[in-house]
């Protein structure tokens, strides 16, 4: 069997792949496409039946796709790629180090007054919460998350790092400022308790999602609550990890009573809502028996 490979961008022929069988899958086909054009390594390719069609899954075979001798496939160059794990480690390590640097009140930002003014206990609590969150993120990236895609466009590394690192600098500058005014004890400690609960809930959801996908696969299943009571939020929303994430940063903002922290929570909520709505639509499309009562991220609302 022969299949002609064309560029999805220009419709120009890249070459013809031969000696294919009906059981050849897209993953194997991508390796053969690289033989036609060395720069198109498999993670850089998106194969489609039409130039703007749906991206074909790696485990789909030529027979399942209805391809025959002389058929055509279109390949889109996704550009230089970088591993998801590498991006996550970079975007999470930055906020950890930037915040702890600002926590020391460097002379560059605060001058001589930074070392002269005592540090309020809420400032210490905030540094502890920030450290806990991003240390957890780093450990989850290394030991918990199983990625459905191996890579992402390298541009995302700079975009994601800029968002996290600069927002961290903005928040940390104000929380650690010598003129910072802290809220009362009830507000601070109540918010701290809520922050810790949401962090534990977020971790619980990530572990539950990890256990849905066997190692080395891209299997997708309907996520459901486990014996851990913190996963019961799956009964109400499709992406409870985002719900808990927003809860953590809302609690942090209330605990510090800092406007930049509130803006960070709102910006995160907006982006996570976009992701959650997309995942929610995908779940409903891919699983006919998906619970219709679930919302995307906010129970009963969104």
């Amino acid at each position: 069997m022969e299949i002609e490979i064309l560029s999805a961008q220009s419709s120009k022929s890249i070459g013809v792949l031969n000696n294919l069988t009906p059981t050849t899958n897209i993953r194997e086909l991508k390796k053969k496409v690289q033989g036609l054009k060395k720069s198109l390594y498999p993670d850089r390719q998106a194969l489609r039946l039409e130039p703007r069609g749906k991206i074909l899954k790696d485990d789909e075979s030529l027979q399942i796709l209805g391809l025959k001798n002389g058929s055509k496939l279109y390949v889109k160059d996704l550009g230089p790629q970088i591993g998801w794990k590498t991006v996550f480690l970079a975007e999470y390590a930055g906020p950890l180090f930037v915040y702890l640097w600002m926590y020391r009140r460097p002379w560059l930002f605060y001058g001589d007054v930074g070392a002269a003014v005592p540090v309020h206990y809420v400032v210490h609590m905030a540094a502890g919460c920030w450290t806990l969150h991003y240390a957890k993120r780093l450990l989850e990236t290394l030991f918990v998350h199983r990625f459905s895609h191996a890579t992402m466009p390298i541009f995302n590394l700079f975009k994601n790092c800029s968002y996290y690192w600069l927002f961290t600098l903005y928040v940390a500058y104000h929380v650690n400022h010598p003129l910072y005014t802290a809220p009362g004890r009830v507000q601070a400690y109540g918010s701290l308790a809520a922050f810790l609960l949401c962090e534990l809930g977020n971790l619980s959801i990530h572990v539950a999602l990890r256990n849905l996908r066997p190692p080395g696969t891209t299997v997708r299943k309907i996520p459901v609550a486990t014996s851990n009571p913190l996963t019961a939020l799956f009964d109400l929303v499709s992406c409870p990890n985002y719900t808990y994430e927003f809860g953590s940063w809302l609690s942090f903002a209330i605990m510090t009573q800092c406007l930049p922290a509130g803006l960070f929570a709102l910006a995160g909520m907006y982006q996570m809502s976009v992701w959650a709505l997309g995942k929610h639509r995908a779940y409903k499309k891919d699983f006919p028996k998906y619970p219709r009562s679930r919302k995307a991220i906010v129970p009963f609302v969104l």
Side-chain angles (χ1 to χ4, degrees):
M1 181 188 298
E2 293 185 349
I3 298 289
E4 185 178 8
I5 304 298
L6 298 93
S7 167
Q9 288 94 330
S10 64
S11 293
K12 292 183 179 179
S13 178
I14 295 177
V16 176
L17 299 178
N18 48 38
N19 298 325
L20 304 176
T21 67
T23 58
T24 301
N25 61 31
I26 295 299
R27 184 182 296 105
E28 295 168 331
L29 210 61
K30 286 181 177 180
K31 294 178 182 178
K32 294 180 179 293
V33 171
Q34 186 181 12
L36 298 176
K37 191 172 182 180
K38 295 297 183 183
S39 62
L40 287 178
Y41 48 88
D43 287 330
R44 188 167 174 165
Q45 300 174 37
L47 289 176
R48 299 168 173 172
L49 296 175
E50 301 292 339
R52 297 183 180 275
K54 181 181 178 182
I55 296 177
L56 303 178
K57 297 178 181 178
D58 283 351
D59 58 355
E60 292 179 307
S61 68
L62 301 184
Q63 186 176 34
I64 291 176
L65 295 171
L67 295 171
K68 302 177 180 179
N69 187 48
S71 294
K72 297 179 180 179
L73 277 180
Y74 295 83
V75 58
K76 180 180 180 181
D77 183 356
L78 299 176
Q81 301 287 298
I82 188 171
W84 274 81
K85 183 173 289 189
T86 301
V87 174
F88 276 20
L89 291 174
E91 67 185 39
Y92 298 152
L96 181 59
F97 289 111
V98 169
Y99 196 98
L100 291 178
W101 177 49
M102 296 299 292
Y103 174 58
R104 296 175 59 86
R105 289 182 176 173
W107 179 88
L108 178 65
F109 287 92
Y110 302 117
D112 295 328
V113 70
V117 177
V119 179
H120 195 280
Y121 73 88
V122 172
V123 175
H124 293 309
M125 287 167 49
C129 288
W130 197 278
T131 301
L132 172 66
H133 178 82
Y134 283 102
K136 179 179 77 70
R137 284 280 192 93
L138 289 169
L139 291 173
E140 287 174 341
T141 299
L142 291 172
F143 303 112
V144 177
H145 293 319
R146 287 177 180 156
F147 303 102
S148 57
H149 300 286
T151 64
M152 66 169 71
I154 197 169
F155 172 73
N156 286 9
L157 173 66
F158 304 100
K159 181 180 67 175
N160 293 9
C161 287
S162 296
Y163 171 81
Y164 281 104
W165 295 22
L166 293 177
F167 236 132
T168 295
L169 186 63
Y170 180 45
V171 173
Y173 173 81
H174 288 85
V175 174
N176 294 288
H177 200 284
L179 299 180
Y180 167 74
T181 302
R185 286 184 175 273
V186 174
Q187 179 176 330
Y189 283 107
S191 301
L192 173 62
F195 177 89
L196 294 175
L197 179 64
C198 287
E199 287 293 296
L200 185 57
N202 181 264
L203 173 61
S204 299
I205 298 300
H206 286 163
V207 171
L209 291 172
R210 174 187 184 274
N211 292 336
L212 281 177
R213 176 173 293 154
T217 72
T218 59
V219 172
R220 297 178 71 244
K221 300 178 182 178
I222 298 177
V224 294
T226 67
S227 58
N228 182 342
L230 292 175
T231 65
L233 205 52
F234 270 126
D235 295 333
L236 300 175
V237 295
S238 294
C239 302
N241 51 319
Y242 295 151
T243 310
Y244 278 125
E245 177 90 2
F246 174 65
S248 290
W249 290 122
L250 179 62
S251 300
F252 183 89
I254 296 173
M255 179 183 71
T256 58
Q257 198 169 269
C258 177
L259 178 60
L263 294 176
F264 181 58
L266 290 176
M269 181 58 177
Y270 170 77
Q271 181 60 72
M272 288 186 291
S273 295
V274 173
W275 291 336
L277 288 168
K279 290 184 178 182
H280 186 63
R281 287 191 294 268
Y283 279 138
K284 291 194 294 184
K285 179 180 179 182
D286 295 343
F287 302 108
K289 295 183 179 180
Y290 192 75
R292 299 295 169 177
S293 59
R294 288 186 189 179
K295 294 296 184 180
I297 184 171
V298 181
F300 312 113
V301 178
L302 180 66

